Amino acid sequence: MKKTAFITGITGQDGAYLAEFLLNKGYKVYGGFRRLSAQNFLRLDELGITNKVTLVETDMLDASNLVRTIKEVKPLEVYNLAAQSFVAHSFKNPILTGNVTGLGVTNLLEAIRIIDPDIRFYQASTSELFGLAKEFPQNENTPFYPRSPYGVAKLYGHWMTINYRESYNIFATNGILFNHESPLRGIEFVTRKITNAVANIHFGKQEYFDIGNMDVRRDWGYAKEYIEGMWSMLQADEPGTYVLATGENHSVREWIEVSFNFIEKEIIWEGEGEKEIGRDAKSGKILVKVNPEFFRPAEVENLIGDYSKAKNELGWEPKTTFNKLAEIMVKADIEKNK
Ligand code: NAP
Ligand code: F7E
């Protein structure tokens, strides 16, 4: 019989790739989506799998709906990817973020406890838990210090997952994933914002783009590879916590420079702080402007992950380099913007 998986947040970047991955593994895939005034299956459409998954109307805010869904779908594995996941937005909507990204996890864990505690549960934890990081690189034992309402909400979800494991013996696992990107990344996240703007500039559709703090550093990997890690965590003998990362980090500034290289532009930086701009070395045109609107009230300056546990216990390793990831994303955005 086919294994059945239920993915919350199937319309997001990771949800779409995970659905594709599980379909290829022969799973029957159910995906939770929110009823909106206009349908939002763009990513599933892009992967050509909208008709291959069964879409179920769910909302992380409604516990009764989640109980009903788990009862009807009868999944063997549940992947909780739904969240208000944009850190900047969480400062403007801290309560909504707390409800969806934090309490939503308990709504789902309760549904599993009540209906079928043998279900294997994956929680999308995050490197944002490390925030103002206390050691470098960060691993499963690094102390947490979240720096945003998003990070704090995820910390609650992280510990509830551990609590349901310890209290009710549920196979509940946390994947602490560092930033992972792809052509399906939301347009407001910094990598995609930049590759999309570079493509627009290439076609003369946009003159320049605004940016926030360019000196922050992130450990950026390729989303498709991280999906396989999520699945491997639920195939392990025991539940636990695993870091997925590349073990390398780079600044936003480097991402801008590398992305422009693919359209043969070199950036020359001028000025400092809020006055900094980036010019095209050849034409002198301004292509990048710092805009304090994109600064965050509290920033996560520097993250870099140690994925040794995932490598040793799951055999998981990242493959796509920083440069290759930028190339994949710039080329995809050029293709989309043609
Ligand atoms: P994403 O593209 O923002 O997708 C989030 C998903 O959650 C979307 O399907 C969204 O639905 C859904 N959602 C939002 N509010 C909801 C609600 N109230 N009820 C039900 N669904 C709701 O995020 P992602 O990048 O794929 O990330 C997947 C998960 O991993 C998230 O939990 C994120 O916090 C976490 N994470 C991401 C990264 C990363 O680098 N990508 C790293 C660590 C952890 P709509 O399409 O309707 O908005
Ligand atoms: O910002 C800086 C910004 O929004 C990265 C989510 O998937 O990964 C993601 O969270 C950095 C931050 O991602 C702009 O201040 C500068 O320091 O792409 P981001 P994030 O905040 O790291 C983690 C692991 C998650 O769990 C989250 O769900 O880039 N930055 N200028 C900017 N960021 C944005 N968005 N826009 C700018 O113009």
Side-chain angles (χ1 to χ4, degrees):
M1 212 172 73
K2 275 191 169 190
K3 282 184 168 182
T4 301
F6 174 58
I7 305 171
T8 70
I10 196 166
T11 55
Q13 169 189 261
D14 290 4
Y17 281 130
L18 179 63
E20 182 187 50
F21 176 86
L22 294 175
L23 286 169
N24 288 337
K25 285 241 169 253
Y27 278 71
K28 168 117 184 92
V29 177
Y30 289 84
F33 74 100
R34 290 190 287 175
R35 197 207 74 84
L36 302 168
S37 62
Q39 278 187 348
N40 170 28
F41 302 142
L42 288 174
R43 294 183 174 101
L44 298 172
D45 289 345
E46 202 169 319
L47 298 179
I49 57 169
T50 312
N51 296 327
K52 296 185 180 156
V53 295
T54 306
L55 294 162
V56 193
E57 209 179 295
T58 54
D59 198 306
M60 296 308 289
L61 297 174
D62 193 322
S64 69
N65 167 294
L66 291 170
V67 168
R68 197 166 54 248
T69 301
I70 295 297
K71 201 169 177 186
E72 283 168 13
V73 169
K74 298 188 179 55
L76 199 67
E77 295 170 8
V78 169
Y79 296 85
N80 183 32
L81 308 187
Q84 190 306 95
S85 78
F86 188 36
V87 173
H89 190 72
S90 79
F91 286 101
K92 293 177 182 155
N93 298 273
I95 298 169
L96 173 89
T97 304
N99 282 331
V100 177
T101 307
L103 266 183
V105 182
T106 308
N107 288 339
L108 188 52
L109 282 167
E110 269 295 276
I112 290 172
R113 183 184 70 78
I114 293 164
I115 305 295
D116 178 6
D118 287 334
I119 288 171
R120 292 192 169 206
F121 176 78
Y122 173 86
Q123 167 59 12
S125 272
T126 166
S127 50
E128 284 293 296
L129 300 184
F130 300 122
L132 189 63
K134 296 293 159 206
E135 61 186 31
F136 291 86
Q138 295 89 44
N139 64 29
E140 293 78 5
N141 300 317
T142 301
F144 298 131
Y145 195 132
R147 292 270 279 174
S148 64
Y150 168 79
V152 175
K154 280 283 184 186
L155 185 60
Y156 168 82
H158 183 87
W159 278 110
M160 285 309 274
T161 301
I162 293 171
N163 187 258
Y164 271 60
R165 183 199 306 158
E166 294 177 352
S167 306
Y168 308 115
N169 205 22
I170 291 174
F171 191 111
T173 275
N174 282 306
I176 304 186
L177 272 51
F178 282 63
N179 299 51
H180 44 279
E181 318 294 311
S182 74
L184 297 188
R185 185 57 141 154
I187 207 90
E188 69 273 55
F189 297 92
V190 79
T191 53
R192 182 78 201 291
K193 173 177 169 174
I194 292 165
T195 57
N196 182 56
V198 165
N200 275 332
I201 290 168
H202 181 61
F203 290 116
K205 293 183 186 171
Q206 188 175 338
E207 285 183 14
Y208 67 89
F209 62 87
D210 287 332
I211 198 76
N213 185 341
M214 288 187 286
D215 296 316
V216 293
R217 300 182 75 81
R218 287 289 185 280
D219 180 328
W220 280 297
Y222 186 25
K224 278 186 98 161
E225 292 164 8
Y226 286 54
I227 296 312
E228 185 159 4
M230 293 177 187
W231 173 79
S232 301
M233 287 179 214
L234 290 201
Q235 314 313 309
D237 292 338
E238 299 292 334
T241 296
Y242 296 89
V243 162
L244 300 187
T246 70
E248 240 186 64
N249 76 4
H250 297 269
S251 64
V252 169
R253 189 185 297 279
E254 285 172 72
W255 183 268
I256 296 174
E257 291 170 352
V258 166
S259 300
F260 272 116
N261 280 345
F262 295 110
I263 60 162
E264 274 144 39
K265 287 199 190 298
E266 190 198 337
I267 302 297
I268 306 287
W269 300 105
E270 277 175 25
E272 272 178 31
E274 295 182 14
K275 300 239 162 13
E276 188 166 6
I277 52 166
R279 284 188 196 277
D280 178 7
K282 257 193 208 147
S283 67
K285 276 190 186 160
I286 296 178
L287 300 180
V288 188
K289 286 185 189 175
V290 168
N291 181 344
E293 190 191 311
F294 294 101
F295 293 168
R296 295 181 179 172
E299 183 55 277
V300 172
E301 302 282 350
N302 192 4
L303 292 175
I304 181 164
D306 169 3
Y307 62 89
S308 323
K309 181 180 175 191
K311 184 178 174 189
N312 295 335
E313 294 186 13
L314 308 173
W316 182 89
E317 264 187 290
K319 296 179 189 74
T320 305
T321 60
F322 176 76
N323 273 274
K324 186 68 194 166
L325 179 60
E327 184 183 349
I328 292 170
M329 290 176 65
V330 171
K331 285 192 171 158
D333 275 321
I334 286 183
E335 205 49 44
K336 282 182 196 166
N337 278 289
K338 251 181 193 165

